[in-house]
Amino acid sequence: MSCTSPSFLLPDLLDDCKDYPLRCNPHCEAVARASEAWLLAEANFSPKKKRAFLRLLAGELTASCYPDTDATRLRVSSDFMNFLFTLDDWSDEFSTQDTYGLAECVMRALDDPEGFETDKAAGKLARSFSKRFRQTAGPGCTHRFMETMDLFFRAVAQQAGDRARGDVPSLEEYVALRWDTSGCKPCFALLEYAAGIDIPDEVAYHPRIRDLEHAANAVISWSNDLFSYRVEQARGDTHNMVAVLMRQHELGLQEAVDYVGQLCKQSVGFFESTRTQLPSWGPETDRNVQTYVLGLQDWMVGALHWSFDSGRYFGDEGAAVKKHRIVTLLPAQPKS
């Protein structure tokens, strides 16, 4: 996408979440490095992609989002996070048909890690994760994880089709798809796993719980669109709210950025108002719900800070962008 402005000013997203403490799991360093080694053993990255992967720091993100879990569950969660980012990157390079093939392999491995046989890296990694996840995950948590992974792959396949056709979705189409391409939903299911809880279905699917998940997903997804726009506009990727607003609603770059920033701010406010409206389901369930809601809060603030620490969005400039909030666009990549 061509753009007349070489830079934009990020909204003060950290200020929106200033009342949420950034926490970190004490097992972070050892688990993060072990998880990276686990994925690299199967992924067969080129040297360039390996360097990019090691700058991702998905283990650090995991430690901020699941700060109270034990080392074993943190490792399983970190493995999934590294795998999810890798799936996202692989799907960006795949055709719609290849994405469906990837989805089928991974979903079969996740569903039957003991019985499913494959020589594909994605399947092997999914089997390894699922074997360990299923050892202690509750039935409700497991069902929600599988359900949301299926939604993730369906949305990613739709995104691949749009990319292949050069389609720019409408704002409504993009929002509907982004709830699932974000990958937040299976990560929220892991909050139950990490805490060793299994919330009853009638609670997990309650409208107020769904509202809280929706608000957290919005904060994470829309802020990620702001962070990733620098890279995505350079490669012509139109699946980004900033790009959609500029194309379909004829907003300027800074106008679109400010609009997305307001959505983030409103979503934090909605999260806070909704958490005061939760009904009571009894002492034990209420404690588990509070643990889950705290996990959603940890995800919002953890993802914000990690986005500046990781090299995925700003390379070596993350600290400067975090301080000054000025994002300089990358030049457009030549068409292959």
Side-chain angles (χ1 to χ4, degrees):
M1 170 187 286
S2 62
C3 181
T4 57
S5 178
S7 64
F8 63 86
L9 181 68
L10 275 174
D12 196 349
L13 301 167
L14 294 175
D15 186 67
D16 295 340
C17 292
K18 63 181 181 297
D19 295 329
Y20 300 163
L22 178 66
R23 305 192 296 145
C24 185
N25 193 293
H27 306 291
C28 173
E29 179 63 24
V31 168
R33 303 292 80 79
S35 184
E36 289 169 347
W38 168 81
L39 190 125
L40 287 172
E42 290 289 353
N44 193 29
F45 287 147
S46 67
K48 180 180 179 180
K49 289 187 176 181
K50 180 179 178 180
R51 288 193 298 272
F53 171 74
L54 290 174
R55 299 182 71 187
L56 172 64
L57 304 180
E60 279 74 1
L61 172 62
T62 311
S64 292
C65 297
Y66 310 96
D68 298 320
T69 196
D70 60 38
T72 299
R73 286 186 173 93
L74 182 68
R75 171 61 195 276
V76 173
S77 302
S78 186
D79 286 356
F80 175 71
M81 200 76 73
N82 275 305
F83 183 47
L84 184 64
F85 276 108
T86 301
L87 286 175
D88 187 52
D89 289 343
W90 280 339
S91 67
D92 282 346
E93 302 170 359
F94 284 6
S95 67
T96 308
Q97 195 59 42
D98 288 340
T99 301
Y100 279 122
L102 175 67
E104 181 183 12
C105 177
V106 170
M107 291 303 294
R108 289 180 66 187
L110 291 173
D111 186 56
D112 184 15
E114 298 294 342
F116 180 64
E117 296 292 336
T118 181
D119 59 357
K120 294 181 178 178
K124 289 181 182 179
L125 290 164
R127 283 182 60 205
S128 171
F129 158 77
S130 188
K131 283 180 183 178
R132 292 170 289 140
F133 167 73
R134 288 175 176 272
Q135 287 175 1
T136 55
C141 167
T142 302
H143 173 75
R144 284 184 280 280
F145 176 81
M146 293 297 294
E147 177 184 52
T148 53
M149 280 300 293
D150 183 58
L151 291 172
F152 167 76
F153 277 120
R154 289 174 185 271
V156 165
Q158 175 66 48
Q159 184 179 26
D162 288 349
R163 187 187 306 115
R165 293 185 298 271
D167 290 349
V168 180
S170 69
L171 182 60
E172 294 74 17
E173 290 169 337
Y174 177 72
V175 168
L177 206 60
R178 190 69 170 107
W179 298 134
D180 293 311
T181 60
S182 71
C184 285
K185 292 179 180 179
C187 293
F188 293 167
L190 284 186
L191 288 169
E192 294 181 69
Y193 166 77
I197 59 178
D198 199 42
I199 297 173
D201 284 352
E202 64 271 19
V203 177
Y205 295 104
H206 189 278
R208 294 292 79 74
I209 298 294
R210 282 303 170 98
D211 285 345
L212 287 168
E213 292 169 344
H214 190 83
N217 196 345
V219 173
I220 297 160
S221 298
W222 306 147
S223 62
N224 181 260
D225 279 8
L226 294 174
F227 298 142
S228 61
Y229 182 73
R230 173 179 180 264
V231 173
E232 290 177 351
Q233 60 83 33
R235 65 185 187 216
D237 193 336
T238 56
H239 265 263
N240 182 296
M241 185 177 275
V242 175
V244 170
L245 289 168
M246 291 175 70
R247 258 315 165 88
Q248 305 288 32
H249 293 262
E250 299 183 346
L251 296 186
L253 174 57
Q254 191 63 54
E255 287 179 296
V257 166
D258 292 344
Y259 182 97
V260 177
Q262 276 301 115
L263 290 181
C264 292
K265 189 179 190 69
Q266 291 166 9
S267 297
V268 174
F270 182 64
F271 183 87
E272 282 303 306
S273 64
T274 302
R275 78 194 303 179
T276 67
Q277 301 168 19
L278 289 171
S280 175
W281 292 280
E284 181 180 0
T285 299
D286 287 354
R287 283 194 298 272
N288 290 344
V289 166
Q290 289 305 314
T291 296
Y292 183 72
V293 174
L294 178 60
L296 296 175
Q297 175 182 302
D298 287 330
W299 248 104
M300 287 188 285
V301 69
L304 284 177
H305 284 273
W306 166 82
S307 298
F308 298 106
D309 297 335
S310 170
R312 187 173 179 86
Y313 307 113
F314 304 117
D316 296 326
E317 300 171 17
V321 173
K322 188 175 187 179
K323 180 178 181 180
H324 301 293
R325 297 174 19 227
I326 297 172
V327 178
T328 302
L329 299 182
L330 295 176
Q333 298 175 1
K335 299 292 184 181
S336 55

